Amino acid sequence: MIYRQLFHKNGAELPPVRAGVIGTGHYATAILTQSRAIAGLDIRVVADVNLEAAQAALRLAGWPDDDIVVCDSRTAALRAIEGGRCAVVADALLMMDLPLDIVVEATGVASAGALHGREALRHGKHVAMVTKETDVSIGPILKRLADREGLVYTAVDGDQHGLLIGLVDWARELGLDILCAGKALEFDIIADPPAGRLVCNGNALELPAGTLRRYGPDPVPADASIHRRLHLGGLCGLMGYDVTEMALAVNGTGLRPDIDSLHCPVLRITEIPEVLCPRSQGGILTHSGVVDAISCVRHPDEPGLAGGVFLVVGCRSDYSRKILREKGHISNRRGDAFLIFRPHHLCGVETPITLLTAVRLGVPTGASEYRPRYDVLMRIDKELPAGAVIPGDKDKSVQALMRPALPRADGNPIPLHLAAGCRLRVAAPAGATLTWDMVEPPASSLLWELRMDQDRTFLGTG
């Protein structure tokens, strides 16, 4: 890591990076709290429609009540920050004319992210896009707008797709071949043999005697890892937001999914390179150069991978393979697929690196070449009547799928985050993949407008 050398070229003392944060959920609160320990980062403007939530986040960051000022105008906000205090606003657009270098969009709402991202760029500010719902829908067109203005639009360090893009770029610069890149789901599955059960995020699954042998320590055949998923039922599972993060990694790296729903096997860390490599090397993948996800299973005394990211890589040189084997890197039994993993993602705690890199170096920590290669689509598991409000990616009745991006047209699938919250024009049977013609367009939507611009720019229609 050479961030310090890059941020302080020739020992120069640089003014702090001035950032504004929109949204004060779990992720953004971590940015606020960690920023107080970073001399080069100054966050004094926070926006949230829930003013109480914004104030609570700032208190967690160590701001005393007397230095937290609720403002309803640009003038009031400017007065607060010039006086060394922190301005809280309900309307994020008030911060666009304030002296800020970068805006962090962390509302988690696709339409809000579209508005805030575009307006920040129009006002000459870099954008750190935490809201993956916006990014997967219209991120490429926002980055195109940023590039035209000499600004940075970027995914962030701390979220899994941003970290995975960085790990892929690092491996490619070294000349390693990416067989598979992926993430672990948020919570490990803990195998507890004495108790005869598996536990994940406080939920337990009691197992028949002898069944736990399927979960290690002896490695299982590659295809058996998929059967584990079926055996676990609802104990853990891939959610729409997991597929969204992998689609962002695809759009930022040029990798692709092996199947549209992802394999998402249940694996011990040591099994990853055996299973997530091409069939020609003993794994389950039809292709190399793909993305996927896993549920990590482990015993209580073992390290885990919950929320971490990983690569399965190959080397073109026999000598390089020899080095990796001799240095003890986890490999498949053939010795031609190796695991490289980062067992942590620190959420907003490490996002300040993105903010400093964007402003001081003028480069993204996310993708530098970002295209709408794949969309996240929606298959519904239950029948919905005409007029029903379409659920979002946190609803367990929605299955998210990743397929090549197509422009808006009747019969073409509609991206999940453009459909969510809209109403159905017609009844949708269980198992249907929603299409553009099945969805009632919103009366006015910048998100949809920017998506049309993106289709015209990158897909030649829309």
Side-chain angles (χ1 to χ4, degrees), residues 285-353:
L285 303 178
T286 305
H287 308 96
S288 63
V290 305
V291 299
D292 217 299
I294 70 160
S295 287
C296 181
V297 63
R298 63 179 176 87
H299 285 203
D301 59 345
E302 294 177 322
L305 192 56
V309 295
F310 64 86
L311 302 178
V312 179
V313 302
C315 305
R316 301 177 194 180
S317 159
D318 287 340
Y319 197 83
S320 294
R321 284 190 287 273
K322 174 177 180 289
I323 291 293
L324 266 63
R325 285 194 298 269
E326 289 182 350
K327 293 302 179 182
H329 289 283
I330 299 168
S331 73
N332 62 348
R333 281 171 285 189
R334 291 165 49 104
D336 57 5
F338 298 89
L339 177 67
I340 296 172
F341 64 103
R342 188 184 195 271
H344 55 278
H345 77 121
L346 306 183
C347 295
V349 172
E350 56 185 321
T351 297
I353 288 292

Side-chain angles (χ1 to χ4, degrees), residues 366-414:
S368 55
E369 200 273 316
Y370 190 30
R371 299 186 65 83
R373 297 176 171 97
Y374 278 74
D375 276 326
V376 178
L377 311 176
M378 174 189 295
R379 178 186 291 155
I380 56 172
D381 291 342
K382 62 182 182 182
E383 182 179 357
L384 294 176
V389 176
I390 299 169
D393 66 355
K394 295 179 177 63
D395 192 305
K396 292 188 177 181
S397 70
V398 170
Q399 182 185 15
L401 304 172
M402 198 191 316
R403 293 180 184 167
L406 295 172
R408 179 180 179 178
D410 288 353
N412 280 353
I414 184 171

Side-chain angles (χ1 to χ4, degrees), residues 22 93 96 103 105 110-127 129 134 138 141-143 145-146 149 151 153 445-447 449-450 453:
I22 307 175
L93 298 184
M96 300 306 170
V103 168
E105 215 300 328
S111 57
L115 175 62
H116 300 149
R118 188 195 66 171
E119 288 305 301
L121 295 172
R122 288 177 63 179
H123 287 77
K125 295 167 176 34
H126 305 293
V127 173
M129 184 57 73
T134 301
I138 58 166
I141 195 65
L142 288 177
K143 187 177 187 306
L145 294 174
E149 300 300 325
L151 297 167
Y153 172 91
S445 171
L446 179 63
L447 178 69
E449 290 176 17
L450 288 171
D453 287 346

Side-chain angles (χ1 to χ4, degrees), residues 141-442:
I141 195 65
L142 288 177
K143 187 177 187 306
R144 176 66 65 91
L145 294 174
D147 291 344
R148 287 177 181 169
E149 300 300 325
L151 297 167
V152 173
Y153 172 91
T154 182
V156 294
D157 277 5
D159 231 347
Q160 288 160 299
H161 57 281
L163 296 172
L164 189 57
I165 290 168
L167 194 58
V168 168
D169 285 349
W170 169 83
R172 283 174 166 168
E173 289 297 317
L174 290 178
L176 298 172
D177 294 325
I178 309 297
L179 306 180
C180 183
K183 60 170 276 185
L185 302 192
E186 197 70 19
F187 300 100
D188 285 344
I189 303 166
I190 312 301
D192 188 352
R197 64 180 182 175
L198 300 170
V199 179
C200 182
N201 190 28
N203 300 310
L205 176 65
E206 305 297 329
L207 299 175
T211 306
L212 273 175
R213 69 177 183 274
R214 301 178 185 175
Y215 296 90
D218 296 329
V220 299
D223 57 357
S225 63
I226 301 298
H227 298 312
R228 284 177 179 166
R229 166 70 62 205
L230 300 175
H231 177 249
L232 290 172
L235 184 64
C236 64
L238 194 70
M239 295 295 291
Y241 49 81
D242 297 310
V243 179
T244 294
E245 291 191 333
M246 289 299 91
L248 287 166
V250 163
N251 290 339
T253 63
L255 300 173
R256 57 177 171 166
D258 198 50
I259 60 174
D260 62 5
S261 58
L262 302 182
H263 294 290
C264 199
V266 178
L267 297 175
R268 299 168 67 84
I269 291 175
T270 52
E271 295 169 340
I272 295 173
E274 187 70 43
V275 174
L276 289 179
C277 65
R279 291 175 185 169
S280 61
Q281 295 173 250
I284 65 172
L285 303 178
T286 305
H287 308 96
S288 63
V290 305
V291 299
D292 217 299
I294 70 160
S295 287
C296 181
V297 63
R298 63 179 176 87
H299 285 203
D301 59 345
E302 294 177 322
L305 192 56
V309 295
F310 64 86
L311 302 178
V312 179
V313 302
C315 305
R316 301 177 194 180
S317 159
D318 287 340
Y319 197 83
S320 294
R321 284 190 287 273
K322 174 177 180 289
I323 291 293
L324 266 63
R325 285 194 298 269
E326 289 182 350
K327 293 302 179 182
H329 289 283
I330 299 168
S331 73
N332 62 348
R333 281 171 285 189
R334 291 165 49 104
D336 57 5
F338 298 89
L339 177 67
I340 296 172
F341 64 103
R342 188 184 195 271
H344 55 278
H345 77 121
L346 306 183
C347 295
V349 172
E350 56 185 321
T351 297
I353 288 292
T354 294
L355 310 186
L356 296 172
T357 301
V359 176
R360 292 193 170 171
L361 305 180
V363 296
T365 57
S368 55
E369 200 273 316
Y370 190 30
R371 299 186 65 83
R373 297 176 171 97
Y374 278 74
D375 276 326
V376 178
L377 311 176
M378 174 189 295
R379 178 186 291 155
I380 56 172
D381 291 342
K382 62 182 182 182
E383 182 179 357
L384 294 176
V389 176
I390 299 169
D393 66 355
K394 295 179 177 63
D395 192 305
K396 292 188 177 181
S397 70
V398 170
Q399 182 185 15
L401 304 172
M402 198 191 316
R403 293 180 184 167
L406 295 172
R408 179 180 179 178
D410 288 353
N412 280 353
I414 184 171
L416 187 157
H417 298 291
L418 274 78
C422 296
R423 293 188 180 275
L424 280 170
R425 279 178 167 168
V426 295
T433 299
L434 298 190
T435 57
W436 284 98
D437 50 304
M438 297 170 71
V439 177
E440 187 70 41

